[in-house]
Amino acid sequence: MSLTIEVKYYDSPKVITYDLNWAPGMNIQNAMEGCYNQYTVPHSQSTFTFLLQYSGTYNAVYIGYMVVAINDRQRSGRYIWNVYLNGAVINNGLVDELEPGDLI
């Protein structure tokens, strides 16, 4: 069983696709870590790196970790990273539990 992470930049139609194995209890952050471990090896043509920032709680709502960079591309100016799970933007950090076949 697997799931997919896709990376798309606002200024490019190109989508970079990463497939990885799903595991019970896996959340989005775990999937990103697994993708890093699987694809960021010497001489890989499709490396996956990311940077997170802990945001804690805001207005009594848990935010948790937010993505601030993927593949060395940081958020800047009016551009931020949005994380989608099966086409819907997530609002509670990276803790959503995943199912086989999910698309991040």
Side-chain angles (χ1 to χ4, degrees):
M1 294 185 272
S2 65
L3 54 89
T4 302
I5 293 179
E6 292 181 345
V7 176
K8 180 176 182 326
Y9 303 114
Y10 70 92
D11 59 352
S12 172
K14 181 180 177 185
V15 176
I16 305 166
T17 302
Y18 306 91
D19 293 309
L20 62 151
N21 292 327
W22 170 86
M26 178 184 272
N27 63 29
I28 295 171
Q29 184 174 341
N30 302 143
M32 292 176 73
E33 291 165 355
C35 194
Y36 171 86
N37 290 335
Q38 182 172 330
Y39 285 95
T40 306
V41 295
H43 312 296
S44 176
Q45 293 183 357
S46 301
T47 61
F48 180 84
T49 61
F50 65 98
L51 179 64
L52 303 179
Q53 178 177 328
Y54 184 70
S55 297
T57 302
Y58 178 74
N59 286 339
V61 175
Y62 176 71
I63 304 296
Y65 289 93
M66 304 301 291
V67 176
V68 295
I70 294 180
N71 294 342
D72 296 325
R73 219 148 156 195
Q74 294 199 15
R75 64 182 183 189
S76 64
R78 68 180 194 269
Y79 298 106
I80 63 169
W81 279 102
N82 285 313
V83 178
Y84 292 80
L85 178 57
N86 299 321
V89 122
I90 62 164
N91 293 319
N92 62 338
L94 304 174
V95 297
D96 287 358
E97 194 165 318
L98 300 172
E99 297 294 330
D102 278 347
L103 175 63
I104 303 167

XYZ file of all heavy atoms in Angstrom:
836
model
N 0.837 -1.168 0.000
C 0.000 0.000 0.000
C 0.887 1.237 0.000
O 1.922 1.271 0.650
C -0.914 -0.008 1.211
C -1.928 -1.145 1.183
S -3.105 -1.081 2.525
C -2.201 -1.994 3.747
N 0.462 2.249 -0.729
C 1.300 3.434 -0.870
C 0.460 4.704 -0.803
O -0.764 4.662 -0.760
C 2.059 3.379 -2.197
O 1.158 3.450 -3.275
N 1.177 5.817 -0.803
C 0.563 7.133 -0.921
C 1.502 7.994 -1.729
O 2.621 7.598 -2.048
C 0.250 7.744 0.442
C 1.382 7.862 1.457
C 2.105 9.181 1.301
C 0.806 7.784 2.848
N 1.053 9.189 -2.097
C 1.817 10.046 -2.995
C 1.947 11.449 -2.420
O 0.996 11.985 -1.862
C 1.121 10.130 -4.374
O 1.000 8.813 -4.905
C 1.903 10.989 -5.347
N 3.137 12.026 -2.571
C 3.362 13.436 -2.267
C 3.670 14.119 -3.594
O 4.513 13.655 -4.355
C 4.541 13.622 -1.294
C 4.196 13.048 0.081
C 4.909 15.110 -1.181
C 5.320 13.157 1.103
N 2.950 15.197 -3.887
C 3.209 15.994 -5.078
C 3.650 17.390 -4.646
O 3.092 17.952 -3.713
C 1.957 16.120 -5.944
C 1.522 14.831 -6.585
C 0.298 15.003 -7.460
O -0.393 16.032 -7.375
O 0.037 14.076 -8.231
N 4.636 17.934 -5.343
C 5.117 19.289 -5.069
C 4.903 20.112 -6.327
O 5.341 19.734 -7.415
C 6.613 19.288 -4.683
C 7.113 20.720 -4.496
C 6.838 18.464 -3.426
N 4.193 21.251 -6.167
C 3.966 22.166 -7.281
C 4.278 23.575 -6.815
O 3.806 24.002 -5.774
C 2.534 22.104 -7.766
C 2.322 23.058 -8.927
C 0.972 22.974 -9.518
C 0.789 23.898 -10.705
N 1.461 25.160 -10.695
N 5.077 24.282 -7.596
C 5.414 25.673 -7.306
C 4.424 26.582 -8.018
O 3.969 26.276 -9.118
C 6.836 25.987 -7.767
C 7.882 25.083 -7.165
C 8.601 24.200 -7.950
C 8.134 25.105 -5.803
C 9.564 23.369 -7.391
C 9.095 24.271 -5.236
C 9.806 23.414 -6.042
O 10.743 22.594 -5.487
N 4.123 27.718 -7.414
C 3.146 28.652 -7.972
C 3.523 29.147 -9.363
O 2.661 29.466 -10.167
C 2.951 29.852 -7.034
C 4.153 30.775 -6.992
C 4.248 31.866 -7.850
C 5.208 30.532 -6.123
C 5.361 32.699 -7.821
C 6.317 31.362 -6.097
C 6.380 32.439 -6.941
O 7.478 33.250 -6.918
N 4.798 29.195 -9.682
C 5.246 29.780 -10.946
C 5.646 28.740 -11.997
O 6.330 29.052 -12.952
C 6.414 30.740 -10.699
C 7.607 30.058 -10.036
O 7.490 28.880 -9.632
O 8.654 30.708 -9.901
N 5.196 27.501 -11.807
C 5.567 26.445 -12.747
C 4.430 25.433 -12.871
O 3.843 25.038 -11.869
C 6.827 25.726 -12.260
O 7.088 24.598 -13.057
N 4.134 24.994 -14.091
C 3.097 23.972 -14.246
C 3.594 22.569 -13.881
O 2.803 21.650 -13.722
C 2.751 24.053 -15.736
C 4.012 24.549 -16.371
C 4.645 25.472 -15.361
N 4.903 22.422 -13.717
C 5.497 21.114 -13.438
C 5.110 20.630 -12.034
O 5.122 21.389 -11.077
C 7.014 21.192 -13.547
C 7.707 19.877 -13.300
C 9.210 20.021 -13.418
C 9.875 18.694 -13.098
N 11.318 18.779 -13.070
N 4.773 19.359 -11.933
C 4.478 18.714 -10.653
C 5.528 17.631 -10.430
O 5.746 16.791 -11.302
C 3.063 18.098 -10.643
C 2.805 17.355 -9.345
C 2.014 19.180 -10.867
N 6.186 17.666 -9.271
C 7.165 16.640 -8.908
C 6.443 15.623 -8.043
O 5.822 15.988 -7.035
C 8.355 17.246 -8.151
C 8.983 18.382 -8.961
C 9.392 16.168 -7.835
C 9.935 19.242 -8.160
N 6.491 14.353 -8.415
C 5.737 13.309 -7.733
C 6.668 12.349 -7.005
O 7.680 11.918 -7.567
C 4.874 12.523 -8.741
O 4.002 13.443 -9.404
C 4.046 11.459 -8.054
N 6.304 12.042 -5.768
C 7.050 11.096 -4.934
C 6.066 10.048 -4.424
O 5.042 10.391 -3.834
C 7.681 11.801 -3.730
C 8.551 12.977 -4.073
C 8.013 14.254 -4.138
C 9.910 12.816 -4.306
C 8.818 15.350 -4.432
C 10.721 13.904 -4.611
C 10.165 15.166 -4.670
O 10.960 16.237 -4.953
N 6.359 8.788 -4.656
C 5.532 7.699 -4.132
C 6.274 7.041 -2.980
O 7.488 6.829 -3.053
C 5.248 6.672 -5.230
C 4.370 7.251 -6.322
O 3.320 7.812 -5.985
O 4.749 7.155 -7.496
N 5.550 6.726 -1.923
C 6.182 6.053 -0.798
C 5.203 5.098 -0.147
O 4.002 5.154 -0.381
C 6.735 7.057 0.215
C 5.757 7.990 0.911
C 6.314 8.357 2.278
C 5.601 9.253 0.107
N 5.751 4.202 0.664
C 4.929 3.203 1.339
C 4.159 3.825 2.482
O 4.677 4.633 3.237
C 5.800 2.055 1.864
C 6.391 1.240 0.745
O 5.788 1.072 -0.298
N 7.587 0.742 0.953
N 2.911 3.429 2.616
C 2.044 3.851 3.704
C 2.245 2.901 4.881
O 2.523 1.718 4.694
C 0.594 3.822 3.253
C -0.387 4.007 4.353
C -0.839 5.188 4.847
C -1.056 2.990 5.107
N -1.741 4.975 5.857
C -1.886 3.626 6.041
C -1.017 1.594 5.092
C -2.682 2.923 6.948
C -1.805 0.904 5.985
C -2.624 1.570 6.894
N 2.122 3.415 6.104
C 2.193 2.591 7.313
C 1.062 3.010 8.246
O 0.714 4.190 8.305
C 3.533 2.770 8.008
N 0.476 2.065 8.986
C -0.598 2.418 9.921
C -0.136 3.492 10.908
O 0.990 3.464 11.394
C -0.887 1.100 10.647
C -0.408 0.035 9.716
C 0.776 0.638 8.996
N -1.007 4.461 11.167
C -0.708 5.538 12.109
C 0.126 6.666 11.516
O 0.431 7.640 12.191
N 0.493 6.565 10.243
C 1.324 7.587 9.593
C 0.535 8.889 9.448
O -0.622 8.875 9.041
C 1.762 7.083 8.223
C 2.585 8.058 7.418
S 2.968 7.405 5.765
C 4.470 6.519 6.114
N 1.189 10.008 9.787
C 0.571 11.305 9.546
C 1.367 12.036 8.462
O 2.338 11.494 7.915
C 0.446 12.122 10.835
C 1.780 12.481 11.462
O 2.794 12.619 10.793
N 1.797 12.635 12.771
N 0.984 13.262 8.158
C 1.622 13.990 7.064
C 3.099 14.240 7.351
O 3.945 14.068 6.478
C 0.869 15.295 6.766
C -0.536 14.958 6.246
C 1.623 16.150 5.758
C -1.451 16.146 6.110
N 3.426 14.630 8.570
C 4.831 14.863 8.899
C 5.646 13.583 8.760
O 6.746 13.597 8.199
C 4.987 15.437 10.304
C 6.440 15.777 10.621
C 6.610 16.483 11.952
O 5.664 17.033 12.501
N 7.814 16.461 12.475
N 5.108 12.450 9.229
C 5.806 11.169 9.062
C 6.034 10.854 7.587
O 7.089 10.346 7.205
C 5.016 10.009 9.667
C 4.705 10.147 11.123
O 3.634 9.754 11.555
N 5.613 10.708 11.912
N 5.031 11.141 6.748
C 5.159 10.876 5.311
C 6.253 11.744 4.700
O 7.049 11.268 3.889
C 3.835 11.125 4.609
N 6.316 13.013 5.106
C 7.367 13.897 4.594
C 8.743 13.403 5.031
O 9.699 13.409 4.243
C 7.116 15.324 5.050
C 5.881 15.936 4.411
S 5.497 17.579 5.020
C 6.796 18.522 4.230
N 8.854 12.944 6.279
C 10.125 12.402 6.763
C 10.498 11.141 5.985
O 11.657 10.946 5.607
C 10.036 12.113 8.256
C 9.938 13.373 9.097
C 9.493 13.119 10.532
O 9.158 11.965 10.880
O 9.468 14.091 11.308
N 9.528 10.269 5.738
C 9.780 9.062 4.957
C 10.185 9.379 3.533
O 11.070 8.727 2.961
N 9.560 10.402 2.964
C 9.911 10.825 1.607
C 11.340 11.350 1.574
O 12.103 11.039 0.662
C 8.918 11.886 1.145
S 8.966 12.222 -0.619
N 11.711 12.124 2.575
C 13.097 12.610 2.674
C 14.061 11.425 2.738
O 15.051 11.376 2.021
C 13.260 13.494 3.909
C 14.699 13.848 4.191
C 15.297 14.942 3.571
C 15.478 13.076 5.043
C 16.625 15.262 3.804
C 16.807 13.385 5.286
C 17.382 14.473 4.666
O 18.691 14.772 4.891
N 13.764 10.461 3.607
C 14.650 9.300 3.775
C 14.751 8.469 2.501
O 15.803 7.905 2.201
C 14.166 8.417 4.924
C 14.360 9.077 6.265
O 15.220 9.940 6.433
N 13.541 8.694 7.229
N 13.666 8.382 1.745
C 13.646 7.549 0.549
C 14.286 8.240 -0.652
O 14.963 7.600 -1.446
C 12.204 7.176 0.213
C 12.067 6.274 -0.996
C 10.642 5.782 -1.175
O 9.909 5.623 -0.204
N 10.253 5.558 -2.406
N 14.079 9.535 -0.799
C 14.505 10.218 -2.029
C 15.767 11.057 -1.888
O 16.379 11.400 -2.881
C 13.370 11.096 -2.567
C 12.282 10.283 -3.211
C 11.162 9.903 -2.497
C 12.389 9.879 -4.532
C 10.158 9.141 -3.081
C 11.400 9.123 -5.133
C 10.281 8.759 -4.403
O 9.304 8.012 -4.986
N 16.139 11.450 -0.688
C 17.305 12.315 -0.551
C 18.534 11.461 -0.280
O 18.988 11.329 0.843
C 17.068 13.371 0.545
O 15.852 14.044 0.221
C 18.196 14.385 0.588
N 19.004 10.861 -1.335
C 20.198 10.015 -1.289
C 21.159 10.541 -2.362
O 20.733 11.208 -3.302
C 19.848 8.530 -1.554
C 18.981 7.991 -0.444
C 19.161 8.354 -2.892
N 22.434 10.238 -2.237
C 23.378 10.721 -3.257
C 22.950 10.305 -4.666
O 22.520 9.175 -4.878
C 24.696 10.041 -2.863
C 24.555 9.792 -1.401
C 23.094 9.495 -1.174
N 23.007 11.240 -5.568
C 22.744 11.039 -6.997
C 21.278 10.798 -7.331
O 20.966 10.383 -8.433
C 23.611 9.899 -7.559
C 25.035 10.014 -7.183
N 25.848 11.058 -7.596
C 25.822 9.251 -6.395
C 27.050 10.912 -7.090
N 27.069 9.830 -6.352
N 20.364 11.053 -6.402
C 18.947 10.925 -6.716
C 18.540 12.083 -7.620
O 18.941 13.221 -7.419
C 18.112 10.951 -5.432
O 16.744 10.921 -5.759
N 17.740 11.809 -8.616
C 17.274 12.858 -9.521
C 16.062 13.592 -8.955
O 15.688 14.634 -9.464
C 16.945 12.265 -10.887
C 18.175 11.753 -11.604
C 17.838 11.234 -12.978
O 16.695 11.199 -13.396
N 18.865 10.817 -13.707
N 15.430 13.061 -7.942
C 14.218 13.654 -7.386
C 14.345 13.810 -5.883
O 13.582 13.226 -5.120
C 13.005 12.779 -7.689
O 12.853 12.613 -9.070
N 15.321 14.589 -5.428
C 15.483 14.747 -3.987
C 14.272 15.452 -3.386
O 13.564 16.201 -4.055
C 16.762 15.535 -3.643
O 16.659 16.821 -4.217
C 17.993 14.822 -4.128
N 14.029 15.186 -2.106
C 12.931 15.817 -1.379
C 13.487 16.309 -0.053
O 13.913 15.522 0.783
C 11.802 14.820 -1.117
C 10.645 15.417 -0.360
C 9.653 16.110 -1.036
C 10.555 15.299 1.018
C 8.597 16.672 -0.342
C 9.496 15.860 1.724
C 8.512 16.547 1.036
N 13.520 17.622 0.120
C 13.931 18.205 1.385
C 12.829 19.151 1.848
O 12.029 19.644 1.042
C 15.253 18.993 1.255
O 15.080 20.058 0.328
C 16.386 18.086 0.803
N 12.785 19.382 3.157
C 11.770 20.294 3.671
C 12.242 20.912 4.969
O 13.135 20.397 5.634
C 10.429 19.577 3.869
C 10.441 18.497 4.909
C 9.977 18.749 6.191
C 10.900 17.225 4.621
C 9.980 17.765 7.161
C 10.902 16.223 5.578
C 10.440 16.500 6.853
N 11.628 22.035 5.311
C 11.924 22.754 6.536
C 10.602 23.081 7.210
O 9.666 23.552 6.565
C 12.676 24.050 6.209
C 13.067 24.960 7.355
C 14.061 24.270 8.283
C 13.669 26.248 6.811
N 10.524 22.790 8.515
C 9.309 23.052 9.285
C 9.562 24.135 10.320
O 10.688 24.326 10.761
C 8.845 21.782 10.005
C 8.579 20.552 9.158
C 8.153 19.389 10.036
C 7.535 20.835 8.102
N 8.499 24.797 10.716
C 8.555 25.782 11.796
C 7.430 25.474 12.761
O 6.283 25.287 12.351
C 8.387 27.188 11.233
C 8.378 28.265 12.289
C 8.271 29.643 11.660
O 8.755 29.878 10.567
N 7.608 30.541 12.363
N 7.765 25.426 14.043
C 6.744 25.139 15.051
C 5.965 26.400 15.356
O 6.544 27.437 15.692
C 7.382 24.582 16.319
C 6.364 24.171 17.348
C 5.556 23.064 17.128
C 6.191 24.904 18.509
C 4.601 22.684 18.050
C 5.235 24.524 19.439
C 4.447 23.413 19.201
O 3.497 23.046 20.117
N 4.647 26.337 15.246
C 3.790 27.504 15.463
C 2.956 27.405 16.722
O 2.232 28.344 17.049
C 2.874 27.703 14.248
O 3.655 27.965 13.103
N 2.991 26.283 17.410
C 2.269 26.158 18.678
C 0.774 26.297 18.528
O 0.156 25.699 17.669
N 0.184 27.154 19.370
C -1.267 27.360 19.406
C -1.570 28.825 19.129
O -0.870 29.717 19.593
C -1.813 26.973 20.790
O -1.462 25.612 21.035
C -3.312 27.113 20.862
N -2.632 29.075 18.382
C -3.066 30.442 18.093
C -4.561 30.531 18.327
O -5.325 29.742 17.778
C -2.727 30.805 16.651
C -3.181 32.196 16.258
C -2.513 33.319 16.728
C -4.286 32.378 15.448
C -2.927 34.594 16.390
C -4.712 33.647 15.095
C -4.028 34.752 15.573
O -4.449 36.012 15.247
N -4.981 31.477 19.163
C -6.402 31.638 19.513
C -7.015 30.316 19.974
O -8.102 29.936 19.542
C -7.203 32.211 18.356
C -6.942 33.684 18.146
O -6.475 34.383 19.049
N -7.245 34.174 16.960
N -6.289 29.596 20.814
C -6.726 28.329 21.400
C -6.878 27.200 20.380
O -7.493 26.178 20.658
C -8.018 28.505 22.179
N -6.331 27.375 19.189
C -6.355 26.325 18.172
C -4.929 25.837 17.958
O -4.024 26.632 17.693
C -6.938 26.853 16.840
C -6.849 25.793 15.751
C -8.361 27.324 17.031
N -4.731 24.518 18.074
C -3.400 23.949 17.881
C -3.003 24.063 16.414
O -3.719 23.613 15.525
C -3.373 22.488 18.324
C -2.047 21.820 18.057
C -0.927 22.150 18.807
C -1.907 20.882 17.053
C 0.304 21.553 18.568
C -0.684 20.277 16.802
C 0.409 20.623 17.568
O 1.627 20.037 17.319
N -1.873 24.683 16.146
C -1.353 24.831 14.794
C -0.288 23.775 14.530
O -0.281 23.132 13.499
C -0.756 26.236 14.570
C -1.779 27.322 14.889
C -0.205 26.379 13.158
C -2.992 27.331 14.002
N 0.642 23.619 15.462
C 1.703 22.626 15.292
C 2.761 23.083 14.320
O 3.085 24.265 14.241
N 3.300 22.158 13.559
C 4.363 22.454 12.605
C 3.773 22.877 11.265
O 2.816 22.286 10.785
C 5.265 21.240 12.401
C 6.125 20.954 13.602
C 5.722 20.063 14.576
C 7.341 21.600 13.756
C 6.511 19.818 15.683
C 8.138 21.357 14.859
C 7.716 20.465 15.818
O 8.500 20.230 16.904
N 4.391 23.891 10.686
C 3.984 24.379 9.369
C 5.179 24.246 8.425
O 6.332 24.401 8.822
C 3.547 25.840 9.449
C 2.427 26.089 10.453
S 0.911 25.173 10.138
C 0.325 25.945 8.666
N 4.903 24.001 7.154
C 5.946 23.876 6.142
C 6.401 25.272 5.735
O 5.586 26.113 5.367
C 5.429 23.111 4.908
C 6.485 23.057 3.819
C 4.985 21.710 5.306
N 7.709 25.529 5.816
C 8.244 26.825 5.391
C 9.161 26.707 4.176
O 9.471 27.715 3.546
C 8.957 27.573 6.545
C 7.980 27.937 7.636
C 10.110 26.780 7.101
N 9.585 25.495 3.822
C 10.394 25.307 2.615
C 10.273 23.862 2.146
O 10.168 22.944 2.954
C 11.856 25.644 2.876
N 10.287 23.691 0.836
C 10.352 22.367 0.220
C 11.371 22.461 -0.900
O 11.348 23.405 -1.699
C 8.983 21.898 -0.321
C 8.011 21.692 0.835
C 9.143 20.615 -1.137
C 6.637 21.236 0.427
N 12.252 21.490 -0.934
C 13.299 21.435 -1.957
C 14.031 22.776 -2.071
O 14.231 23.297 -3.161
C 12.730 20.987 -3.300
C 12.245 19.560 -3.257
O 12.610 18.796 -2.379
N 11.393 19.185 -4.193
N 14.402 23.315 -0.924
C 15.163 24.570 -0.815
C 14.398 25.806 -1.278
O 14.978 26.870 -1.427
C 16.499 24.482 -1.571
C 17.414 23.440 -0.963
O 17.391 23.282 0.273
O 18.138 22.772 -1.720
N 13.107 25.685 -1.500
C 12.307 26.839 -1.894
C 11.493 27.302 -0.701
O 10.551 26.630 -0.271
C 11.392 26.448 -3.037
C 11.319 27.559 -3.996
C 11.132 27.174 -5.391
N 10.538 28.347 -5.986
C 9.951 28.360 -7.130
N 9.873 27.278 -7.833
N 9.443 29.463 -7.585
N 11.864 28.456 -0.146
C 11.208 28.962 1.052
C 10.045 29.861 0.692
O 10.008 30.455 -0.386
C 12.203 29.727 1.912
C 13.275 28.821 2.455
C 13.984 29.431 3.640
O 13.532 30.383 4.233
N 15.112 28.848 3.986
N 9.124 29.971 1.644
C 8.040 30.928 1.447
C 8.644 32.323 1.505
O 9.616 32.569 2.210
C 6.948 30.759 2.492
C 7.404 31.053 3.897
C 6.285 30.820 4.861
N 6.723 31.184 6.208
C 6.036 30.946 7.280
N 4.868 30.359 7.185
N 6.490 31.315 8.451
N 8.077 33.237 0.742
C 8.598 34.600 0.752
C 7.519 35.554 0.262
O 6.652 35.172 -0.524
C 9.840 34.718 -0.135
O 9.508 34.455 -1.474
N 7.614 36.781 0.737
C 6.639 37.784 0.324
C 5.226 37.318 0.581
O 4.900 36.871 1.677
N 4.415 37.375 -0.415
C 3.014 36.959 -0.258
C 2.802 35.468 -0.537
O 1.692 34.970 -0.497
C 2.117 37.808 -1.137
C 2.300 37.593 -2.611
C 1.349 38.505 -3.402
N 1.262 38.114 -4.773
C 2.022 38.571 -5.748
N 2.970 39.450 -5.479
N 1.872 38.151 -6.978
N 3.884 34.749 -0.847
C 3.787 33.329 -1.151
C 4.091 32.493 0.080
O 5.076 32.725 0.774
C 4.739 32.952 -2.285
C 4.414 33.676 -3.561
C 5.198 34.718 -4.013
C 3.287 33.318 -4.297
C 4.885 35.394 -5.177
C 2.963 33.990 -5.458
C 3.763 35.024 -5.893
O 3.455 35.693 -7.046
N 3.247 31.526 0.359
C 3.442 30.593 1.460
C 3.244 29.180 0.918
O 2.752 28.994 -0.190
C 2.463 30.853 2.628
C 1.012 30.629 2.157
C 2.649 32.236 3.204
C 0.004 30.597 3.282
N 3.623 28.209 1.709
C 3.349 26.820 1.340
C 1.986 26.430 1.889
O 1.692 26.642 3.063
C 4.410 25.883 1.917
C 5.653 25.867 1.090
C 6.823 26.514 1.361
C 5.837 25.193 -0.144
N 7.726 26.279 0.359
C 7.154 25.476 -0.581
C 5.038 24.397 -0.939
C 7.671 24.970 -1.762
C 5.559 23.889 -2.106
C 6.859 24.178 -2.520
N 1.140 25.883 1.041
C -0.113 25.286 1.481
C 0.037 23.784 1.358
O 0.579 23.293 0.367
C -1.295 25.735 0.621
C -1.710 27.149 0.934
O -1.853 27.504 2.099
N -1.898 27.955 -0.085
N -0.458 23.066 2.338
C -0.441 21.609 2.289
C -1.880 21.145 2.085
O -2.787 21.552 2.806
C 0.145 21.010 3.581
C 0.103 19.494 3.530
C 1.579 21.492 3.792
N -2.068 20.305 1.082
C -3.381 19.764 0.760
C -3.371 18.270 1.045
O -2.371 17.597 0.801
C -3.704 19.955 -0.721
C -3.920 21.390 -1.125
C -2.847 22.242 -1.355
C -5.205 21.885 -1.289
C -3.036 23.557 -1.736
C -5.406 23.205 -1.667
C -4.321 24.030 -1.899
O -4.522 25.329 -2.267
N -4.484 17.767 1.512
C -4.675 16.335 1.681
C -5.880 15.948 0.842
O -6.999 16.401 1.109
C -4.890 15.967 3.154
C -5.152 14.494 3.452
C -4.013 13.611 2.918
C -5.348 14.275 4.938
N -5.644 15.190 -0.200
C -6.691 14.767 -1.134
C -7.484 15.952 -1.669
O -8.704 15.925 -1.768
C -7.607 13.736 -0.477
C -6.854 12.495 -0.080
O -5.976 12.029 -0.805
N -7.149 11.959 1.084
N -6.773 17.028 -2.002
C -7.393 18.186 -2.627
C -7.930 19.247 -1.691
O -8.349 20.299 -2.135
N -7.930 18.997 -0.387
C -8.439 19.968 0.585
C -7.294 20.518 1.424
O -6.457 19.765 1.913
C -9.484 19.322 1.494
N -7.243 21.842 1.575
C -6.188 22.480 2.378
C -6.330 22.029 3.823
O -7.446 21.914 4.324
C -6.278 24.004 2.238
C -6.451 24.722 3.521
C -5.095 24.571 1.544
N -5.212 21.710 4.476
C -5.271 21.320 5.881
C -5.006 22.545 6.745
O -4.243 23.421 6.368
C -4.290 20.186 6.225
C -2.845 20.625 5.981
C -4.613 18.924 5.439
C -1.833 19.734 6.628
N -5.637 22.601 7.895
C -5.519 23.759 8.767
C -4.949 23.426 10.138
O -4.850 24.303 10.972
C -6.884 24.423 8.950
C -7.376 25.026 7.664
O -6.610 25.625 6.927
N -8.647 24.853 7.375
N -4.611 22.182 10.387
C -4.147 21.815 11.729
C -2.761 21.198 11.700
O -2.519 20.150 12.240
C -5.154 20.875 12.401
C -5.322 19.581 11.646
O -5.031 19.498 10.465
N -5.787 18.558 12.318
N -1.835 21.895 11.071
C -0.470 21.398 11.037
C -0.343 20.143 10.197
O -1.038 19.974 9.215
N 0.521 19.264 10.610
C 0.826 18.079 9.806
C 0.431 16.791 10.505
O 1.012 15.746 10.269
C 2.327 18.076 9.500
C 2.846 19.342 8.817
C 4.363 19.293 8.708
C 2.203 19.537 7.464
N -0.575 16.859 11.375
C -0.919 15.712 12.202
C -2.061 14.855 11.644
O -2.414 13.847 12.243
C -1.250 16.145 13.650
C -0.037 16.765 14.310
C -2.432 17.098 13.675
N -2.629 15.220 10.506
C -3.706 14.418 9.936
C -3.197 13.010 9.636
O -2.157 12.831 9.000
C -4.230 15.037 8.639
C -5.058 16.277 8.873
O -5.264 16.661 10.039
O -5.521 16.870 7.872
N -3.941 12.012 10.115
C -3.559 10.623 9.857
C -3.912 10.248 8.423
O -4.945 10.650 7.897
C -4.259 9.697 10.845
C -3.643 8.315 10.844
C -4.069 7.491 12.047
O -4.123 8.022 13.160
O -4.350 6.297 11.823
N -3.039 9.482 7.800
C -3.166 9.142 6.399
C -3.717 7.733 6.189
O -3.575 6.866 7.048
C -1.801 9.262 5.724
C -1.182 10.651 5.775
C 0.248 10.608 5.263
C -2.014 11.642 5.007
N -4.297 7.531 5.018
C -4.803 6.236 4.598
C -4.084 5.848 3.299
O -3.576 6.723 2.589
C -6.313 6.315 4.334
C -7.145 6.653 5.557
C -7.111 5.558 6.621
O -6.960 4.360 6.252
O -7.203 5.889 7.806
N -4.051 4.552 2.977
C -3.433 4.154 1.706
C -4.093 4.889 0.536
O -5.301 5.085 0.534
C -3.704 2.654 1.617
C -4.011 2.218 3.016
C -4.605 3.407 3.706
N -3.293 5.318 -0.403
C -3.814 6.002 -1.594
C -3.967 7.505 -1.421
O -4.320 8.186 -2.388
N -3.736 8.037 -0.237
C -3.870 9.479 -0.033
C -2.882 10.252 -0.891
O -1.808 9.766 -1.235
C -3.626 9.854 1.442
C -4.863 9.650 2.312
O -5.971 9.462 1.752
O -4.716 9.696 3.539
N -3.264 11.479 -1.217
C -2.433 12.391 -1.996
C -2.172 13.635 -1.173
O -3.107 14.306 -0.742
C -3.133 12.773 -3.301
C -2.446 13.817 -4.173
C -1.096 13.319 -4.669
C -3.344 14.190 -5.336
N -0.901 13.904 -0.914
C -0.496 15.094 -0.160
C 0.047 16.095 -1.154
O 0.869 15.752 -1.989
C 0.584 14.753 0.897
C 0.078 13.674 1.826
C 0.996 15.994 1.639
C 1.173 13.071 2.690
